[in-house]
Amino acid sequence: MTDRFPEITSVEEFIRLRESEDPAEYNRSAWATMPLSVWWDLVRNRPDMRVWAAHNRTAPSEILAELIKDPDWRVRDRVASKRNCPPELLERLVDDPHDAVRRLVANHPHSPWPAVAGLVDDPWPVIAQEARARLANWPSKQPSEPS
């Protein structure tokens, strides 16, 4: 689907598309690719747009790795909710201060076993219960799982 949207070539263009009331332009801000230099310009210089950068389905993994450091839990939540979130980023979010982010990690299909196991004693009982249930239904014993 990303190939049907022309590449976004500047931060200003991304913001214009994101703030547009035209559904086609708004969708382009969520689906179109951008050169890596534009991604970096966006995340470094427009903190108000970081959640929307995380919303874009083509965000490269190095940008997602930067976005999980954001002080705004909504940005980290958006990264953790991405279907293609890399397992190593999910593992880094296990100790996130916000329970919504940790809950996404507990239930994300790409979360590695150690990440889910790290949540079985989460302070929020819902997360701990979901992590235990997920581990109980894990497809097979993992190499890093204790015997």
Side-chain angles (χ1 to χ4, degrees), residues 57-143:
R57 287 167 176 83
T58 70
S61 58
E62 56 262 52
I63 296 300
L64 297 177
E66 179 67 22
L67 292 173
I68 66 167
K69 302 175 198 172
D70 197 278
D72 185 343
W73 72 270
R74 295 169 299 180
V75 175
R76 300 186 314 271
D77 181 85
R78 186 67 203 121
V79 173
S81 69
K82 293 180 85 57
R83 184 181 332 158
N84 65 341
C85 187
E88 61 274 9
L89 297 185
L90 292 163
E91 197 157 17
R92 288 172 48 195
L93 290 168
V94 166
D95 296 320
D96 196 89
H98 202 280
D99 52 8
V101 176
R102 294 190 317 276
R103 189 172 189 191
L104 284 166
V105 173
N107 292 294
H108 197 289
H110 293 143
S111 286
W113 189 91
V116 178
L119 293 167
V120 297
D121 294 319
D122 193 85
W124 191 31
V126 171
I127 295 171
Q129 179 180 14
E130 290 174 356
R132 285 191 296 272
R134 179 116 187 270
L135 290 177
N137 295 311
W138 205 266
S140 64
K141 191 170 182 88
Q142 298 300 301

